Amino acid sequence: MQHDEVIWQVIRHNHCSFMAKISTGNFCRNPYNVTGICNRSSCPLANSRYATIRDHDGVFYLYMKTIERAHKPNELWERVKLPRNYEKALEIIDKHLMYWPKILVHKTKQRLTKMTQMRIRMRKLALKTREKIMTTPRKEIKREARREQKAEKAALLDKSIEKELLERLKKGVYGDIYNYPVEAYNEVLEMEELQAASEEEEEPEIEYVEGYEELEEEEDMEDFGGLAIHNPEADEDSDGIDEDLEDVDVPRKRGRKESTYSLRKVEKDARAKLKKKAKVIVEVENEDADERQTTVH
């Protein structure tokens, strides 16, 4: 048979796993405690008739315990679901705890009020965007950094080995004994060709040239255009052309600097004109006289 006073004396003065002693007072960690304070009237273990309110996923339930069910631990607590409306929940509490002690009914209503306010604040905070503070795992960061360093060293070693093997293959150290992957070898050769092509496609060198050379050539050609070549009886032979070139006199303006390039160009143009010049012989016969007139154009 359950005796509340004996249970309280054992719990209070010997040992209780739910009791938490703090400088401000003694508190109870039992989830069925209606106030959270460790005292005789609020202890759920030392009271055979007890009522409290608990929250399950945002839904409030009224829990009640009576002495008639003390011999059935699996059916010790009677649970009643409370509606979300605060006033209706108070009505249900008054209905089920009509003949219970007034102090216990008052504490149960106070717990319902506090839990309702807590639920409202939780909904408001859920709607707001708040920064989430997270701890930095130092051990994991250090471990990842060590792994990265090892991977970099391994990659450099692999590249150096591959480069050395390719150089030996190019030199023909292994000959036909070593069976190397042809695709990888071709890829490396293509990469080297692309690098060589990119080096060739560099910027062109900058050169500085004379700016007034073309103007001088044009003026020399204009001066040469006014010359008169007096040699109508020129032959087709090259000797005659050379003699005509010797007779050509090219007057130049005083005070102008002569260039060898312009002189050569003038001589070439003169030779081309003499070569292109063709002889046309026209014969005219008169019916009355047997005389013939020949003209050379």
Side-chain angles (χ1 to χ4, degrees), residues 82-94 112:
L82 299 175
R84 288 187 174 273
N85 192 348
Y86 178 69
E87 295 179 355
K88 291 183 179 180
L90 290 175
E91 291 177 0
I92 291 173
I93 290 171
D94 291 332
L112 176 65

Side-chain angles (χ1 to χ4, degrees), residues 227-249 270 273-275 277-279 296-297:
L227 295 177
I229 301 173
H230 301 287
N231 195 1
E233 296 179 356
D235 297 333
E236 293 180 357
D237 298 335
S238 61
D239 296 335
I241 293 170
D242 294 335
E243 292 176 0
D244 293 335
L245 288 173
E246 290 176 359
D247 296 338
V248 173
D249 186 13
K273 284 183 179 180
L274 290 174
K275 284 181 180 180
K277 188 174 181 182
K279 294 180 180 181
V296 179
H297 294 284

Side-chain angles (χ1 to χ4, degrees), residues 40-180:
R40 177 71 176 79
S41 61
S42 300
C43 183
L45 301 176
N47 290 281
S48 57
R49 194 178 190 186
Y50 198 79
T52 185
I53 294 175
R54 293 192 65 185
D55 181 13
H56 292 282
D57 299 330
V59 180
F60 296 156
Y61 292 91
L62 174 64
Y63 281 79
M64 295 172 288
K65 181 177 75 167
T66 59
I67 191 66
E68 290 81 13
R69 293 190 301 273
H71 64 285
K72 294 181 179 180
N74 59 342
E75 297 179 0
L76 184 63
W77 293 92
E78 181 184 356
R79 189 174 73 172
V80 179
K81 185 178 179 181
L82 299 175
R84 288 187 174 273
N85 192 348
Y86 178 69
E87 295 179 355
K88 291 183 179 180
L90 290 175
E91 291 177 0
I92 291 173
I93 290 171
D94 291 332
K95 180 181 177 181
H96 287 276
L97 303 179
M98 185 181 297
Y99 303 105
W100 288 54
K102 298 295 181 182
I103 184 68
L104 188 58
V105 175
H106 179 66
K107 289 179 180 179
T108 307
K109 289 182 179 179
Q110 278 187 336
R111 185 173 176 84
L112 176 65
T113 304
K114 291 291 183 181
M115 293 178 70
T116 305
Q117 292 174 355
M118 182 188 68
R119 185 166 59 183
I120 293 168
R121 287 197 301 270
M122 288 174 63
R123 288 176 181 175
K124 288 182 180 179
L125 291 172
L127 295 174
K128 293 181 180 179
T129 56
R130 301 177 64 186
E131 295 181 357
K132 188 177 181 180
I133 300 172
M134 299 179 66
T135 58
T136 57
R138 295 182 180 179
K139 291 184 179 179
E140 292 182 5
I141 292 170
K142 290 181 180 179
R143 184 166 60 250
E144 293 296 331
R146 287 196 297 269
R147 287 178 180 176
E148 287 178 1
Q149 291 178 359
K150 290 180 181 179
E152 288 178 359
K153 290 179 181 178
L156 291 172
L157 183 62
D158 292 340
K159 287 182 180 178
S160 61
I161 292 169
E162 183 180 357
K163 188 176 180 181
E164 183 67 23
L165 289 173
L166 289 171
E167 288 180 357
R168 291 184 181 183
L169 287 171
K170 288 179 184 178
K171 292 177 182 179
V173 176
Y174 300 108
D176 299 332
I177 299 171
Y178 184 72
N179 296 324
Y180 58 88

Side-chain angles (χ1 to χ4, degrees), residues 182-192:
V182 181
E183 294 180 358
Y185 185 71
N186 293 331
E187 288 179 1
V188 174
L189 291 177
E190 290 177 359
M191 290 174 63
E192 290 181 355

Side-chain angles (χ1 to χ4, degrees), residues 218-230:
E218 291 179 359
E219 290 178 356
D220 293 338
M221 289 299 294
E222 289 176 358
D223 296 339
F224 182 73
L227 295 177
I229 301 173
H230 301 287

